[in-house]
């Protein structure tokens, strides 16, 4: 019996998980002969020649079961006549089940000799597709996911703002696409691409903003799908289109703003809308706006029946609205009524109900209208009726005033004396209407400029003097209430005119914007100040330095710049933890703030670096201030847990005058001077001179170089280590007896240990990092080699700098060391590549990581997230561990952005099958949060403080047996 497979133009068969044929089509039977019954239930191998049967069992089936699909593998089919037919075989799992007999695999066989014919047809189809795409006015793009190659058609370039004939950018790859992407959408785009690559989405679709070549942004709809994969199933070529949707997005944005404005206006005016759809007269549909729902006291989105909606009105008013609706349906008449309704909570309101009828082809199809809460207006109108006899002369004034009520409203007569205040104005000014009536407006409405406390002039005088339009006060008005409280306001004033055009008085409208100004001020403060110390940050400091330099250049004025670097800060941070380090930074910030003048600019540039701009200060005065800072630091002691620390300050002083062309050169000079002060013995001042800058800089560099060279020659580098522990219990067989990161220390001739932060930057600068890394790796392998053969396995992580990774000789030396060490030791080693390090050749780094992993060495990407190349490194380097940079972990509980970043890193690691390690864990609450987020392991002072590696290795078996690795 024919099956659906017979309609396919190629040979197709279906097997179960054991390789037994379940279904095959007529095209295949034409090759192998026989009837379907002759083949059903037989093994698929019987269709092939003996050599292809072996290949099917040893290669095809394992690959298919692992990757769920295979693509164009060449096999030899045995035809009915006994001849051999070369075929290209593709297959995929189409039905999964626990039992192999319940699984289904679909196999497609294509004659290899027909490939060329189909390729030619594919070229023709591609041309037709290109013509079709061009007719749709869409840009096309092709991207090789593996190589990064990117291709755009002419329309694609046109969308990016390139006219025909203009030169294309020289570099055209995936980095170009990343550079023109809007920062707010890069993460979302990457996430959607990953879903498509993983097969969880059939196509990739997104609406994104791209930066045109002129710097403007254009909205495009981006669609694409993977059209080919590599032999191991990875995405290769991806094809897609760009459609310019910028006009649509702008229209939608305009509609959103218009709707938001309409909603705010309706809410402000207390007006809600409604609509009754009468296309089906037996089942009319009623829709209420959010404001209508608020007026009736029901949740937003509530949709009552028509009878229920009419039932909200009081019985004595209900017949009027029923009659109006009926007249509208039968006669097409609209209505405008003032009625009372009872809210869902029982409150009674006065409302204005308006409605009209819409027709289509002479038939009523819709009723639309509005309802407005006029309870306050009705109350005020009743009061007006009671006072009509006494206020007849002012009746016109009151009518216009009531129509003008917005936020806070004050009306005056032609002499500028107060005649009326609404409740909001009473609250903001502190004056009751009865008390304010007849007083001059400036006595009731006292406003100053918030910036300089300058009293503002009477805002209604221009209107009373004949101004036709509304007058609005610029600046930042601040209303001072009768009780002395203050509120930021926005104000406007207009004349009140009668029918004859004569001015009867003025109306002043204002609203409280205190919260908005406070929020704007807080945002501005956070953008320009350091959150920890409250000092201004680097961005604001550089802006002020730029302004000061401009004044010095234009006016010839003299100022001074101090660059301050704390001494021994690293010691406090390592000994007491980051929380203590933060406390120290806050204390020294207060100390320096008390030392400099209030008009001087004190800033924290980052870490333990500070800077001061001493305005209108000559060099002698600046030296006195700088030495005073050092003296204050010399007398200062930081106390933590009954431990006392002496913290100094190395100060670089640079005269700030018209000789400097840029703040970059100025900051470099200050940095060099500070470095010279630190090299000269710390806690001292060094004044910059044109004549000695280069000499002192070279002298300092040589001192560092000689110290490191001497330490290498005398073998004075020693190893400490810090444990890395599971975030949650792990099976004993699944983890090593010890997992720790190796930390290098420099032993001075007097026995004092120097932390790596003091000498590793210099090692990088003088190209000594590779020699230090080589020595650390040698010592680590020796320590692993001393482990007894029967001892449980360890895992030691050794850091390698980006400079070392880019050194071919170093990489070869590492491979030689691993070869000599043997597999048993290599399996206990993990090499950490710092993500923030600059790797010169990514291809060399990728080759090196692959080679060391072939020896059984694990690879970790350290400080993940700290640099701009995080995800790029993941794409190019094959790693086993992902170590999350401590800056995201330290404030995990307090900063939502840090929490979101850590979650994204964990998600990426989970997608790539990597284990994660969180650094700088110093609080139990942080550890608990990391456990909940799925982080694999943690490292920090909370879990273990660094200690000599030998001590740690000796205690590792005991700690494993005692269970102290559990966290």
């Amino acid at each position: 019996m024919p099956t659906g497979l017979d309609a396919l133009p190629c040979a197709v068969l279906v097997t179960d998980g054991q390789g037994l044929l379940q279904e095959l089509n007529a095209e295949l039977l034409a090759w192998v002969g026989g009837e379907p019954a002759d083949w059903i239930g037989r093994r698929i191998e019987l269709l092939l020649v003996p050599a292809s049967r072996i290949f099917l069992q040893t290669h095809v089936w394992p690959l298919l079961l692992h990757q769920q699909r295979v693509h164009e593998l060449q096999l030899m089919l045995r035809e009915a006549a006994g001849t051999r037919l070369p075929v290209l075989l593709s297959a995929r799992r189409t039905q999964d089940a626990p039992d192999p007999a319940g699984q289904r695999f679909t196999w497609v066989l294509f004659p290899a000799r027909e490939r060329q014919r189909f390729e030619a047809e594919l070229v023709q189809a591609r041309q037709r597709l290109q013509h079709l795409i061009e007719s749709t006015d869409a840009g096309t793009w092709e991207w090789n996911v593996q190589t990064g190659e990117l291709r755009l058609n002419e329309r694609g370039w046109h969308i990016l703002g390139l006219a025909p004939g203009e030169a294309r950018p020289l570099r055209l790859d995936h980095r170009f696409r990343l550079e023109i992407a809007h920062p707010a959408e890069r993460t979302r785009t990457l996430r959607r691409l990953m879903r498509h690559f993983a097969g969880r989405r059939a196509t990739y679709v997104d609406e994104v903003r791209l930066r045109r070549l002129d710097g403007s942004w254009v909205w495009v709809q981006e669609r694409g799908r993977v059209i080919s994969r590599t032999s191991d199933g990875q995405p290769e070529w991806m094809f897609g289109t760009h459609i310019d949707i910028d006009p649509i997005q702008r229209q939608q944005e305009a509609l959103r703003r218009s709707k938001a404005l309409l909603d705010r206006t309706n809410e402000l005016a207390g007006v809600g809308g409604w609509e009754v759809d009468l296309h089906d007269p037996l089942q009319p549909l009623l829709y209420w706006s959010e404001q209508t729902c608020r007026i009736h006291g029901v949740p937003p989105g509530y949709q009552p029946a028509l009878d229920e909606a009419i039932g909200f009105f009081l019985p004595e008013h209900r017949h009027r609205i029923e009659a109006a609706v009926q007249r509208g349906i039968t006669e097409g008449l609209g209505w405008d009524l003032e009625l009372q309704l009872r809210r869902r909570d029982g409150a009674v309101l006065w409302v204005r109900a308006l409605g009209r009828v819409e027709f289509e082809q002479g038939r009523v199809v819709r009723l639309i209208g509005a309802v407005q809460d006029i309870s306050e207006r009705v109350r005020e109108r009743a009061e007006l009726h009671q006072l009509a006899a006494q206020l007849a002369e002012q009746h016109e004034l009151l009518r216009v005033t009531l129509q003008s009520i917005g936020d806070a409203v004050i009306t005056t007569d032609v002499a500028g004396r107060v005649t009326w205040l609404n409740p909001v104005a009473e609250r903001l000014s502190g004056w009751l209407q009865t008390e304010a009536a007849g007083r001059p407006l400036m006595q009731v409405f006292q406003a100053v400029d918030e910036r300089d406390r300058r009293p503002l002039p009477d805002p209604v005088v221009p209107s009373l003097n004949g101004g036709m339009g509304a007058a609005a006060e610029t600046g930042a008005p601040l209303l001072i209430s009768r009780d002395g409280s203050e509120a930021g306001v926005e104000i406007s004033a207009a004349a009140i005119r009668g029918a004859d055009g004569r001015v009867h008085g003025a109306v002043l409208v204002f609203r409280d914007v205190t919260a908005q100004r406070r929020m704007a001020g807080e945002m501005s403060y956070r953008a320009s100040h350091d959150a920890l110390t409250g000092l201004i940050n680097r961005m604001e400091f550089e802006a002020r330095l730029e302004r000061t330099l401009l004044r010095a250049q234009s006016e010839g004025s003299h100022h001074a710049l101090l660059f301050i670097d704390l001494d021994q800060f690293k010691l406090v941070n390592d000994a007491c933890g980051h929380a203590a380090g933060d406390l120290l930074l806050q204390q020294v910030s207060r100390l320096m703030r008390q030392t400099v003048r209030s008009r001087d600019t004190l800033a924290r540039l980052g870490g333990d670096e500070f800077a001061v701009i001493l305005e209108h200060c000559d060099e002698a005065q600046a030296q006195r201030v700088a030495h005073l800072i050092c003296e204050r630091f010399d007398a200062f002691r930081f106390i933590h847990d009954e431990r006392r620390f002496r913290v100094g300050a190395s100060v670089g002083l640079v005269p700030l005058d018209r000789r400097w062309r840029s703040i970059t050169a100025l900051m470099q000079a200050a940095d060099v001077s500070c470095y010279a002060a630190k090299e000269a013995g710390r806690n001292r001042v060094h004044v910059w001179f044109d004549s000695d800058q280069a000499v002192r800089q070279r002298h300092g560099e040589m001192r560092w170089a000689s110290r490191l060279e001497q330490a290498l020659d005398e073998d004075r580098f020693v190893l400490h280590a810090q444990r890395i522990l599971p975030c949650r219990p792990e099976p004993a067989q699944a983890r090593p007896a010890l997992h720790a990161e190796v930390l290098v220390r420099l032993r001075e001739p007097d026995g004092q240990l120097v932390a790596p932060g003091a000498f590793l930057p210099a090692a990088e600068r003088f190209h000594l990092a590779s020699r230090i890394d080589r020595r650390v790796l040698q010592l680590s392998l020796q320590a692993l080699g001393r482990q007894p053969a029967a001892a449980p396995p360890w895992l030691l992580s050794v850091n390698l700098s980006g400079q070392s990774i880019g050194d071919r000789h170093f990489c070869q030396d590492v491979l030689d060391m691993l070869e000599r060490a043997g597999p048993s030791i290599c399996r206990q080693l993990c090499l950490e590549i710092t993500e923030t390090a600059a790797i010169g050749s990514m291809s060399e780094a990728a080759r090196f990581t692959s080679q060391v992993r072939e020896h059984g060495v694990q690879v970790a990407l350290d400080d993940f997230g700290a640099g701009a190349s995080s995800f790029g490194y993941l794409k190019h380097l094959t790693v086993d561990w992902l170590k999350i940079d401590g800056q995201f972990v330290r404030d995990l509980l307090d900063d939502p952005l840090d929490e979101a970043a850590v979650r994204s890193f964990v998600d990426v690691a989970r997608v790539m099958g990597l284990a994660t390690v969180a650094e700088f864990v110093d609080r139990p609450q942080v550890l608990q949060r990391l456990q909940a987020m799925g982080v694999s392991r943690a490292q920090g002072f909370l879990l273990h403080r660094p200690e000599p590696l030998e001590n740690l290795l000796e205690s590792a078996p005991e700690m494993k047996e005692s269970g102290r690795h559990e966290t």
Side-chain angles (χ1 to χ4, degrees):
M1 178 180 297
T3 67
L5 300 180
D6 293 336
L8 299 177
C10 55
V12 181
L13 60 92
V14 178
T15 71
D16 62 9
Q18 299 173 338
L20 300 180
L21 290 168
Q22 305 297 316
E23 191 176 358
L24 66 168
N25 69 348
E27 183 72 13
L28 181 59
L29 289 174
W31 294 351
V32 300
E35 299 294 330
D38 299 333
W39 292 98
I40 299 302
R42 304 181 69 186
R43 300 192 64 82
I44 186 175
E45 291 89 337
L46 299 179
L47 297 172
L48 307 174
V49 301
S52 292
R53 295 176 187 175
I54 296 174
F55 185 78
L56 181 72
Q57 289 292 338
T58 59
H59 291 78
V60 178
W61 269 108
L63 186 60
L64 178 57
L65 294 175
H66 176 66
Q67 297 185 351
Q68 311 300 316
R69 63 176 68 195
V70 295
H71 181 65
E72 290 192 353
L73 301 179
Q74 186 161 346
L75 298 174
M76 196 70 68
L77 187 74
R78 180 173 57 81
E79 294 184 289
T83 58
R84 298 186 174 193
L85 176 64
V87 296
L88 296 176
L89 178 143
S90 298
R92 65 180 295 173
R93 187 196 299 270
T94 55
Q95 179 177 319
D96 199 1
D99 182 11
Q103 299 175 358
R104 291 293 181 270
F105 295 84
T106 301
W107 309 70
V108 178
L109 296 87
F110 196 80
R113 59 175 172 263
E114 295 187 14
R115 182 184 184 94
Q116 293 181 345
R117 177 173 62 84
F118 279 105
E119 288 178 347
E121 294 176 354
L122 181 61
V123 171
Q124 296 176 359
R126 185 182 182 90
Q127 292 175 346
R128 290 195 298 272
L129 176 61
Q130 184 66 27
H131 294 323
L132 177 62
I133 291 175
E134 290 176 355
S135 67
T136 63
D137 200 30
T140 65
W141 51 269
E142 298 174 84
W143 174 32
N144 190 313
V145 181
Q146 300 300 319
T147 66
E149 181 182 356
L150 182 65
R151 305 171 184 168
L152 300 177
N153 71 347
E154 286 297 326
R155 176 56 182 162
W157 283 114
H158 180 72
I159 291 174
L160 293 180
L162 190 70
E166 287 191 57
R168 277 38 172 175
L170 295 178
R171 178 175 56 76
L172 196 61
D173 54 21
H174 69 286
R175 291 173 297 170
F176 170 76
R177 170 61 178 80
L178 183 63
E179 289 172 358
I180 66 175
H182 198 282
E185 293 147 8
R186 290 175 184 167
T187 301
R188 183 190 70 197
T189 298
L190 178 62
R191 185 166 58 248
R192 293 187 177 184
L193 279 172
M194 290 299 107
R195 291 193 187 121
H196 176 55
F197 289 165
R200 295 199 297 271
R201 293 289 186 274
T203 58
Y204 156 72
V205 182
D206 201 357
E207 292 185 354
V208 298
R209 284 166 288 183
L210 300 181
R211 189 178 67 249
R212 295 164 62 94
L213 299 183
D214 62 2
S216 62
W217 294 95
V218 59
W219 277 98
V220 299
Q221 183 185 68
E222 194 171 52
R223 288 179 173 270
R225 67 183 304 169
V226 174
I227 59 174
S228 67
R229 292 183 180 269
T230 61
S231 59
D232 59 355
Q234 296 299 313
E236 187 179 26
W237 277 102
M238 187 174 181
F239 177 81
T241 61
H242 281 156
I243 298 177
D244 186 350
I245 60 171
D246 203 59
I248 298 175
Q249 285 287 343
R250 295 184 187 278
Q251 291 174 3
Q252 292 177 349
E253 179 61 24
L255 287 175
R256 283 192 292 269
R257 289 197 298 266
S258 178
K259 181 180 181 302
L261 177 60
L262 181 60
D263 290 342
R264 291 195 299 270
T265 303
N266 287 343
E267 183 177 357
L268 182 65
V271 177
W274 57 266
E275 176 183 336
V276 180
D277 188 342
L278 297 174
H279 282 87
D280 184 355
L282 299 179
Q283 291 184 333
L285 298 177
L286 176 59
Y287 301 94
W288 277 357
S289 71
E290 290 189 6
Q291 183 61 25
T292 302
C293 292
R294 293 191 191 98
I295 291 174
H296 287 78
V298 297
Y302 187 77
Q303 289 184 249
L306 183 57
D307 292 341
E308 181 186 358
I310 293 176
F312 275 91
F313 292 95
L314 297 187
E316 57 269 29
H317 290 232
R318 196 172 301 157
H319 69 282
R320 296 176 60 195
I321 190 64
E322 290 174 341
V325 172
Q326 187 61 35
R327 283 196 303 271
I329 295 175
T330 57
E331 304 175 23
L333 300 177
W335 63 90
D336 184 349
L337 305 173
E338 291 187 0
L339 308 169
Q340 280 187 296
L341 64 78
R342 190 181 304 278
R343 288 167 44 94
R344 177 64 59 82
D345 59 10
V348 176
L349 304 178
W350 274 98
V351 296
R352 182 184 180 190
L354 301 94
R356 65 180 177 86
V357 182
E358 290 188 354
F359 295 86
E360 288 183 5
Q361 299 178 352
R363 187 171 64 89
V364 177
V365 295
R366 189 176 298 105
L367 302 177
I368 61 172
V371 58
Q372 180 182 17
D373 182 358
I374 61 170
S375 301
E376 184 69 14
R377 186 187 305 174
V378 170
R379 183 186 64 81
E380 292 170 351
R381 191 166 58 200
E383 293 177 356
L384 282 176
H385 288 313
Q386 294 176 6
L387 299 174
Q390 296 85 359
L391 303 177
E393 185 180 354
Q394 300 184 24
H395 176 73
E396 182 67 13
L397 175 61
L398 288 177
R399 186 184 67 81
V400 176
T401 301
L402 290 173
Q403 294 295 332
S404 305
I405 293 176
D407 288 333
V409 180
I410 300 178
T411 61
T412 73
D413 59 18
V414 292
R417 292 186 295 270
V418 175
T419 58
W420 185 81
L421 293 81
N422 75 344
V424 180
E426 290 180 335
R427 175 173 56 81
L428 291 178
S429 68
W431 289 83
L432 297 177
Q433 180 179 346
T434 55
E435 299 172 325
R439 295 179 183 270
L441 176 63
M442 294 301 289
Q443 184 178 350
V444 176
F445 185 83
Q446 298 184 27
V448 298
D449 192 314
E450 187 176 44
R451 296 164 298 188
D452 55 13
R453 310 295 293 187
R454 173 180 55 85
L456 297 180
D458 191 331
V460 302
V461 168
S463 300
L464 293 175
N465 289 340
M468 296 297 295
E473 178 65 36
T474 58
L478 188 69
L479 176 61
I480 302 176
S481 179
R482 188 179 184 182
D483 61 5
S485 59
E486 299 178 348
V489 294
E490 289 181 351
I491 61 177
S492 63
I496 300 175
R497 298 178 180 274
D500 56 358
R502 187 167 57 90
V503 175
H504 291 272
V507 58
L508 177 67
V509 181
F510 54 97
R511 64 189 184 95
D512 187 352
V513 294
T514 305
Q516 294 92 316
R517 288 186 187 169
R518 182 184 303 112
M519 182 177 298
E522 289 177 357
M523 293 178 64
S524 175
Y525 182 87
R526 292 181 181 180
S528 60
H529 286 72
D530 175 52
L532 177 64
T533 62
L535 304 178
I536 65 170
N537 57 22
R538 176 182 286 272
M539 182 183 300
E540 177 66 16
F541 178 81
E542 291 180 348
R544 297 189 184 185
L545 183 61
E546 183 78 43
R547 293 194 295 268
T548 306
L549 179 58
L550 289 175
R551 287 200 302 272
Q553 293 171 342
S554 61
E555 303 171 0
S557 54
H558 293 271
H559 317 277
L561 171 64
L562 304 182
F563 193 97
I564 305 168
D565 187 272
L566 302 188
D567 302 328
Q568 306 302 330
F569 174 75
K570 180 69 175 176
L571 175 63
V572 176
N573 230 16
D574 290 342
C576 305
H578 296 290
D582 291 346
L583 181 60
L584 171 60
L585 291 174
Q586 292 171 339
Q587 292 183 7
V588 299
S589 297
R590 288 193 294 268
L591 184 148
M592 287 187 285
R593 189 185 285 116
Q594 296 167 359
T595 305
V596 301
R597 300 170 300 182
S598 59
R599 69 178 183 181
D600 296 328
T601 298
L602 171 63
R604 181 190 176 201
L605 304 183
D608 59 348
E609 294 180 346
F610 298 81
V612 183
I613 302 174
L614 301 173
E615 298 189 35
H616 301 287
C617 180
D618 58 29
E619 184 177 320
Q621 292 175 315
Q623 286 195 49
R624 286 195 291 272
V625 174
H627 284 293
L628 181 58
I629 291 175
C630 289
E631 292 173 4
R632 293 283 183 88
F633 269 89
D634 190 52
F636 171 75
R637 295 294 182 272
F638 177 68
I639 302 174
H640 183 268
D641 288 340
E642 299 182 356
R643 302 170 65 183
R644 297 171 62 88
F645 296 89
R646 180 177 180 178
V647 180
S650 298
V651 183
L653 190 158
V654 179
L656 201 168
D657 48 35
R658 62 180 7 149
R659 85 184 78 176
W660 300 103
R661 298 296 92 192
S662 68
I663 64 170
T664 301
L666 188 59
M667 290 293 288
Q668 289 176 348
D671 185 38
V672 168
S673 299
C674 179
Y675 183 71
K678 190 175 289 289
E679 282 294 302
R682 302 176 184 269
N683 202 46
R684 61 191 60 213
V685 179
H686 178 84
V687 181
W688 183 90
F689 296 99
D690 282 328
S691 59
D692 74 344
Q693 176 189 11
V695 174
R696 289 182 178 273
Q697 184 172 355
R698 285 196 298 271
H699 178 67
E701 290 176 350
M702 293 181 63
R703 289 189 62 187
W704 264 115
S706 62
R707 289 173 62 185
L708 292 172
E709 290 280 0
Q710 184 177 1
L712 285 166
D713 294 340
E714 297 174 0
D715 197 16
R716 287 194 280 108
F717 287 97
V718 297
L719 301 186
H720 283 214
Q722 185 178 40
R723 291 173 59 84
I724 301 174
L725 299 175
C727 284
R728 61 186 64 198
E730 296 179 356
Q733 64 274 14
R735 53 178 166 74
L738 171 68
H739 185 185
E741 179 182 358
V742 175
L743 307 172
V744 65
R745 301 286 190 267
L746 172 63
R747 182 187 291 114
E748 295 282 24
D750 62 357
Q752 181 181 0
L753 293 179
V754 180
F759 60 86
L760 285 184
E764 291 275 2
R765 186 160 57 249
F766 309 130
H767 301 284
L768 297 172
S770 297
R771 292 182 60 188
I772 296 176
D773 287 350
R774 185 182 288 106
R775 184 52 183 160
V776 171
L777 184 59
Q778 289 173 346
L779 294 174
S780 300
L781 291 174
Q782 291 172 7
L784 290 172
R786 292 192 293 270
Q787 179 190 19
W794 299 334
L795 183 60
L796 292 185
S797 295
V798 178
N799 286 280
L800 298 183
S801 69
Q803 191 179 101
S804 298
I805 296 297
D807 185 346
R808 292 187 178 182
H809 296 292
F810 173 85
C811 294
Q812 187 57 50
D813 289 346
V814 172
L815 295 175
D816 293 340
M817 283 189 281
L818 297 178
E819 187 69 30
R820 291 192 298 269
S824 61
I825 292 180
C826 289
R827 285 193 294 269
Q828 302 179 71
L829 183 66
C830 177
L831 298 181
E832 293 189 6
I833 300 175
T834 303
E835 187 270 338
T836 54
I839 294 181
S841 173
M842 185 59 67
S843 60
E844 292 291 336
R847 183 181 300 110
F848 174 71
T849 57
S850 299
Q851 289 173 334
V852 298
R853 293 181 83 252
E854 290 174 1
H855 284 78
V857 177
Q858 299 185 37
V859 178
L861 190 56
D862 196 15
D863 296 336
F864 187 79
S869 307
S870 303
F871 295 101
Y873 278 32
L874 279 181
K875 290 180 64 176
H876 293 91
L877 302 181
T878 304
V879 300
D880 307 279
W881 295 84
L882 190 148
K883 299 190 72 174
I884 302 171
D885 188 70
Q887 66 173 310
F888 300 100
V889 177
R890 185 184 300 114
D891 298 324
L892 179 64
L893 300 178
D894 306 313
D895 192 335
L897 184 59
D898 287 349
E899 182 176 5
V902 174
R903 288 188 183 278
S904 68
F905 299 160
V906 174
D907 290 341
V908 169
R910 186 178 296 112
V911 169
M912 300 189 69
L914 307 179
T916 51
V917 176
E919 302 175 319
F920 293 170
V921 178
D922 57 2
R923 289 180 286 171
Q925 297 86 345
V926 173
L927 180 61
Q928 293 172 2
R929 180 66 59 84
L930 293 171
Q931 291 171 341
M933 296 170 71
V935 175
S936 309
R937 300 195 173 190
Q939 177 181 1
F941 284 167
L942 173 68
L943 307 173
H944 179 236
R945 292 186 176 273
E947 62 179 296
L949 178 61
E950 292 295 334
N951 297 351
L952 186 61
L953 295 181
E954 291 174 2
S955 63
E958 301 173 0
M959 296 180 71
K960 180 175 181 67
E961 294 174 1
S962 65
R964 286 197 289 161
H965 60 279
E966 302 290 340
T967 59

